[in-house]
Amino acid sequence: MTKNGIRIIANVTRIALFSAAAAMTLAGCLETPEEKAAFRARQAAPTPVVMNATKGEAPTVSGLSHYKDGYPGFGAPLTAANVQMSDQEAGGLQSKLTALTAQRKAGTISEAEYQRRVAEFRKLAAEHGADTLSEIAN
């Protein structure tokens, strides 16, 4: 056999070995459905946990309790940052808006009065967030 023939066989063998190594490496990167599900579970947002107060701590209105020596304790249940709307308040607002729509459809309210009330609600929606943030900042 000639030198060129031996070089060709050596190069083909080298390429075959590199291809086999690359195939084995890539095969090791594949994940099973169980591994994919476990990865997604690790990446998911944590679920909130409300802890009960431990002995010796008295929960306060803000949700942050203090020990007798004045240091903060974190064993008290967490509370919302602000007072949340109750179901009754939400139902009341919904009934107001439903009544306003019914009045408009029935013609018992003028278009100008309807537009005035809609503008009032939109103004409240636009300014409520900024007003609340300024109250919280103070």
Side-chain angles (χ1 to χ4, degrees):
M1 194 176 257
T2 64
K3 284 187 173 183
N4 284 340
I6 293 173
R7 284 186 187 147
I8 292 173
I9 293 173
N11 285 338
V12 170
T13 305
R14 205 175 292 133
I15 291 171
L17 288 174
F18 284 132
S19 299
M24 284 192 248
T25 302
L26 291 176
C29 294
L30 298 177
E31 294 179 348
T32 64
E34 293 83 19
E35 291 171 332
K36 289 180 182 179
F39 177 75
R40 273 188 253 115
R42 286 192 308 268
Q43 297 299 320
T47 55
V49 177
V50 177
M51 304 291 292
N52 293 328
T54 58
K55 292 182 181 179
E57 295 183 18
T60 61
V61 176
S62 68
L64 182 63
S65 63
H66 292 276
Y67 289 105
K68 294 175 186 170
D69 56 3
Y71 288 102
F74 298 102
L78 300 175
T79 58
N82 198 356
V83 177
Q84 303 297 309
M85 179 186 291
S86 69
D87 290 339
Q88 292 83 12
E89 290 173 323
L93 288 174
Q94 185 176 2
S95 63
K96 281 182 185 178
L97 293 174
T98 304
L100 181 61
T101 304
Q103 288 175 351
R104 181 182 186 202
K105 286 182 180 178
T108 58
I109 187 172
S110 69
E111 185 65 25
E113 177 65 18
Y114 175 79
Q115 293 299 333
R116 184 190 67 76
R117 288 187 187 178
V118 168
E120 180 182 320
F121 284 128
R122 287 187 178 151
K123 180 181 175 189
L124 176 66
E127 296 176 355
H128 178 69
D131 293 344
T132 304
L133 285 176
S134 67
E135 285 180 26
I136 292 171
N138 293 335

